[in-house]
Amino acid sequence: MPNAPTDEPTPEQRQAIAALLARVIPPAADELGRRFAAAGHELALVGGPVRDALLGRPGKDVDLTTDAAPEKVLALVEGWADAVWTIGIEFGTVGLRKGDLQLEITTYRSESYDPRSRKPSVSYGTSLTEDLRRRDFAVNAMAARLPGHEFVDPFGGLGDLRRKVLRTPGRPEDSFNDDPLRMLRAARFAAQLGFTVAPEVVAAMCDMAARIEIVSAERVRDELSKLICAAHPREGLALLVDTGLADHVLPELPKLRLEIDEHHRHKDVYDHTLIVLEQAIAQEESGPDLVLRLAALLHDIGKPKTRSFEPGGRVTFHHHEVVGAKMTRHRLSALRYPKDVVADVARLVELHLRFHGYGTGEWTDSAVRRYVRDAGHLLPRLHKLTRADCTTRNRRKAERLRRTYDDLEARIARLAEEEELAKIRPELDGNEIQAVLGIKPGPLVGRAYKHLLDIRLDRGVIGKDAAKEELLRWAREQGLEPPAS
């Protein structure tokens, strides 16, 4: 039986585990355990908090499970909890707060999906072991009874932690049929924990990949974000591609595996993308940056649609950044990412090639101003993405690109000292434009404003009088007759 418990802990090990859990389990959870026991009910810390305690990872979640029905849970915490919320009560979960501690209590349950439905049907149980059986992976199917801290591990989760492997408590086919999102969670845990996924689990993911389509876009998005922001995202993404799951949740990624024949030469775009992601991560300064990581992952997704074969074995991808930006907006919107995330990632994809027009420093100051202006608040991320996009193995070329970008950043810093680049505005505002041209608010004001902004970017500060002259000259070219001064 592939999922039978293994590495049963000795009594001494169980005692050591109980002592470890006693140090990390909040006193309030033990207090609640005594309250449930006095009423004849079980309560246990379960899942991720137990796993993380055994791995020595700090955890904030306090997930509890009980044989008490939700209505009974509400009665038992009344007068004890400082606040209670029931947003998940239809799935058997009651949330509560005690002081600064937040806890979730879920009644023992089993849940399964109808093949035609996105929502689980829930039935309550009376056995902790059976409740653990329905959980996603054996490493998450361990528990500590409260208040005594008795370690419960019926499916060999402790052994899996030692071997750094992900297995399901029961048959993976049954687990993924109950909740297809668990296939994405396998990839996410591989990325977060650096674990390998058991062969039978990988096989089930391959066979059942299409089942993920019944899961809501929001749940898929949340798992993808956790995977991408994990410590080892490459491992998780590769698992999604290799099992076929990516074909259903992020199809642009496997399409980067372009066929390469002996006559046409270009780098492996898929492998390049994963390297760019890793190099972008290496530049992060204060934790995972979802926008930067998504931009690194998606920056070349326009290449398959724009690939063209040229004489002499050359391959080109003209305007792939423009096509890629459009594809990025479509994919992230389909995954229900917030509008600001969609806009920022798409803009980075659109701008990621701009630097290559810099050459060896031929840009004028006005071109540098435009680069800063177009990047706006994304400039620090654009710096990181552009540097990460250099994956050449030619050391001389890589060093030349690095020095050139150093030079661009130095020019940006010099110009920033002279003027606030990120806040560049025309020297005449909208009201002044209306006064000079004798016009009312409307589209014409916007066109005039853009013209003056272009002059400001091209020539720097020219003064209000010169700006008025330029505005009047432009108005005459538009066939307008400005008022007599």
Side-chain angles (χ1 to χ4, degrees):
M1 180 177 176
N3 292 297
T6 57
D7 293 353
E8 181 71 18
T10 65
E12 292 77 13
Q13 288 173 326
R14 286 184 176 276
Q15 188 174 1
I17 291 170
L20 170 65
L21 293 171
R23 291 197 295 271
V24 299
I25 294 174
D30 278 334
E31 183 181 335
L32 194 58
R34 288 188 288 272
R35 193 178 184 94
F36 272 63
H41 288 287
E42 299 177 354
L43 188 68
L45 183 72
V46 70
V50 178
R51 177 202 68 220
D52 289 343
L54 295 174
L55 288 173
R57 301 172 73 222
K60 297 179 181 179
D61 296 337
V62 181
D63 296 332
L64 305 171
T65 187
T66 181
D67 61 342
E71 295 76 13
K72 184 65 175 178
V73 172
L74 289 174
L76 285 171
V77 301
E78 184 178 0
W80 181 83
D82 297 324
V84 176
W85 51 93
T86 58
I87 191 169
I89 199 165
E90 64 177 310
F91 302 117
T93 300
V94 174
L96 55 98
R97 178 176 57 81
K98 179 71 171 179
D100 295 331
L101 184 67
Q102 290 192 2
L103 312 95
E104 283 194 349
I105 306 174
T106 302
T107 304
Y108 297 159
R109 63 186 180 183
S110 61
E111 57 185 39
S112 60
Y113 279 78
D114 184 287
R116 298 158 296 180
S117 173
R118 293 175 182 267
K119 295 185 177 181
S121 57
V122 176
S123 58
Y124 300 129
T126 57
S127 164
L128 176 58
T129 297
E130 290 306 309
D131 181 74
L132 295 176
R133 188 188 300 277
R134 58 153 285 276
R135 294 180 180 269
D136 52 6
F137 302 105
V139 295
N140 295 329
M142 299 179 288
R145 295 186 185 275
L146 301 177
H149 307 152
E150 176 195 349
F151 181 57
V152 181
D153 181 23
F155 303 104
L158 183 63
D160 287 355
L161 283 184
R162 292 189 182 121
R163 288 186 295 273
K164 295 187 175 181
V165 65
L166 287 174
R167 290 181 309 110
T168 52
R171 289 189 343 122
E173 293 83 0
D174 295 335
S175 180
F176 298 155
N177 193 57
D178 283 349
D179 187 352
L181 190 69
R182 290 172 176 172
M183 294 185 286
L184 275 185
R185 286 170 64 84
R188 191 247 289 184
F189 283 124
Q192 283 184 331
L193 302 175
F195 283 20
T196 58
V197 181
E200 70 273 13
V201 176
V202 173
M205 292 169 68
C206 292
D207 292 342
M208 303 178 67
R211 183 111 169 96
I212 195 68
E213 294 190 359
I214 73 164
V215 180
S216 70
E218 291 81 1
R219 295 184 74 209
V220 170
R221 173 203 64 206
D222 290 347
E223 284 299 324
L224 276 177
S225 294
K226 291 174 183 177
L227 187 163
I228 291 167
C229 288
H232 315 279
R234 180 172 186 146
E235 286 80 351
L237 292 167
L239 185 60
L240 293 185
V241 172
D242 293 342
T243 58
L245 273 164
D247 293 334
H248 302 278
V249 299
L250 196 63
E252 295 79 7
L253 186 58
K255 287 179 181 178
L256 293 177
R257 284 179 158 175
L258 299 177
E259 294 181 5
I260 303 175
D261 63 37
E262 59 182 309
H263 304 294
H264 295 96
R265 301 178 300 278
H266 63 79
K267 67 177 66 176
D268 182 334
V269 182
Y270 171 73
D271 188 58
H272 163 76
T273 293
L274 296 181
I275 294 173
V276 171
L277 174 60
E278 291 177 326
Q279 293 185 168
I281 291 171
Q283 299 177 72
E284 290 175 339
E285 298 162 351
S286 56
D289 182 339
L290 177 63
V291 168
L292 175 63
R293 294 189 183 201
L294 284 170
L297 185 63
L298 302 175
H299 78 285
D300 273 348
I301 62 171
K303 280 190 170 181
K305 284 190 174 182
T306 58
R307 183 168 61 160
S308 178
F309 300 107
E310 305 291 338
R314 286 185 67 243
V315 178
T316 61
F317 304 95
H318 293 309
H319 307 300
H320 77 266
E321 74 281 11
V322 177
V323 174
K326 183 178 180 180
M327 293 171 63
T328 295
R329 290 189 191 92
H330 173 76
R331 176 54 51 205
L332 296 185
S333 296
L335 288 168
R336 303 291 191 270
Y337 274 96
K339 290 182 179 179
D340 59 335
V341 172
V342 175
D344 285 353
V345 176
R347 187 62 167 157
L348 286 170
V349 172
E350 184 178 6
L351 293 175
H352 83 273
L353 282 186
R354 179 76 67 86
F355 160 70
H356 293 282
Y358 188 71
T360 57
E362 288 85 357
W363 277 3
T364 62
D365 283 354
S366 65
V368 175
R369 292 189 191 100
R370 288 180 184 277
Y371 187 76
V372 174
R373 172 77 182 189
D374 290 348
H377 71 282
L378 296 171
L379 184 63
R381 288 182 172 124
L382 183 58
H383 287 333
K384 294 182 176 69
L385 178 60
T386 302
R387 290 184 181 276
D389 196 25
C390 175
T391 62
T392 179
R393 295 180 182 177
N394 184 318
R395 291 186 178 181
R396 289 186 178 181
K397 183 178 180 181
E399 180 61 21
R400 184 171 68 251
L401 286 169
R402 185 192 65 77
R403 287 199 308 268
T404 304
Y405 206 84
D406 286 346
D407 178 67
L408 174 58
E409 287 202 60
R411 289 183 65 185
I412 290 172
R414 176 177 59 78
L415 288 172
E417 290 181 1
E418 299 170 2
E419 49 187 309
E420 295 185 74
L421 287 181
K423 299 179 180 179
I424 287 179
R425 300 288 186 274
E427 291 178 77
L428 302 179
D429 62 23
N431 290 330
E432 290 170 315
I433 290 171
Q434 293 174 58
V436 171
L437 298 183
I439 59 177
K440 295 181 179 180
L444 186 59
V445 177
R447 288 165 51 201
Y449 185 94
K450 183 179 183 302
H451 175 71
L452 290 178
L453 177 58
D454 287 340
I455 291 174
R456 176 73 174 81
L457 291 169
D458 289 338
R459 295 164 55 185
V461 177
I462 62 175
K464 281 187 177 289
D465 289 342
K468 289 179 181 177
E469 289 301 319
E470 289 290 346
L471 178 61
L472 292 170
R473 182 183 60 79
W474 173 84
R476 287 191 290 270
E477 290 175 353
Q478 304 302 308
L480 301 175
E481 189 61 42
S485 57

